[in-house]
């Protein structure tokens, strides 16, 4: 629906004006409706800051492949095609780090 922004606005403040007490009573009426929670669905959710000291993390570590190198600036493993050369110390450096240096 198109809106004519040049048209005069409706200024009937008396009909839309409600007292604070009336608004509070409406809010109190709405709090009576309860939300049904599924306890099983919420069981697996972890809250931020939860204590995870008893949890164990299992990660499979893949060794460095022959066609990969570790950039000595950002310490990320890259494919050999990302090798820009060596820094002043003779360490391998990736294209991203070489372009910012």
């Amino acid at each position: 629906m198109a809106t004519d922004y040049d048209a005069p606005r409706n200024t009937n403040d008396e009909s839309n004006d409600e007292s604070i007490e009336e608004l509070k009573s409406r809010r109190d009426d709405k709090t009576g409706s309860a939300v049904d929670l599924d306890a099983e669905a919420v069981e697996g959710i972890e809250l931020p800051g939860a204590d995870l000291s008893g949890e164990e993390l299992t990660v499979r570590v893949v060794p460095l492949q022959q066609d990969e190198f570790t950039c000595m600036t950002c310490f990320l493993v890259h494919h050999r095609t990302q090798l820009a050369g060596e820094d002043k110390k003779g360490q391998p450096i990736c294209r991203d780090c070489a372009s910012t240096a």
Side-chain angles (χ1 to χ4, degrees):
M1 181 174 153
T3 303
D4 184 10
Y5 291 105
D6 294 329
R9 296 184 183 182
N10 187 2
T11 58
N12 293 338
D13 292 335
E14 296 95 24
S15 63
N16 293 335
D17 199 16
E18 298 178 15
S19 67
I20 293 178
E21 290 79 18
E22 190 175 325
L23 293 173
K24 285 181 183 179
S25 68
R26 274 199 230 156
R27 183 181 63 188
D28 292 339
D29 293 342
K30 290 183 181 180
T31 57
S33 62
V35 177
D36 294 332
L37 293 177
D38 186 7
E40 293 177 8
V42 179
E43 189 173 302
I45 297 175
E46 291 291 332
L47 297 175
D51 181 23
L52 300 176
S53 59
E55 297 294 323
E56 189 173 316
L57 180 64
T58 305
V59 178
R60 196 184 100 183
V61 177
V62 179
L64 192 67
Q65 303 297 311
Q66 288 183 352
D67 61 344
E68 295 176 333
F69 73 98
T70 303
C71 176
M72 290 294 126
T73 303
C74 64
F75 301 104
L76 294 176
V77 176
H78 296 281
H79 190 264
R80 286 278 176 199
T81 58
Q82 295 295 316
L83 182 63
E86 296 178 349
D87 62 1
K88 296 176 184 175
K89 298 178 185 175
Q91 301 291 328
I93 186 170
C94 68
R95 290 182 182 176
D96 293 334
C97 292
S99 66
T100 60

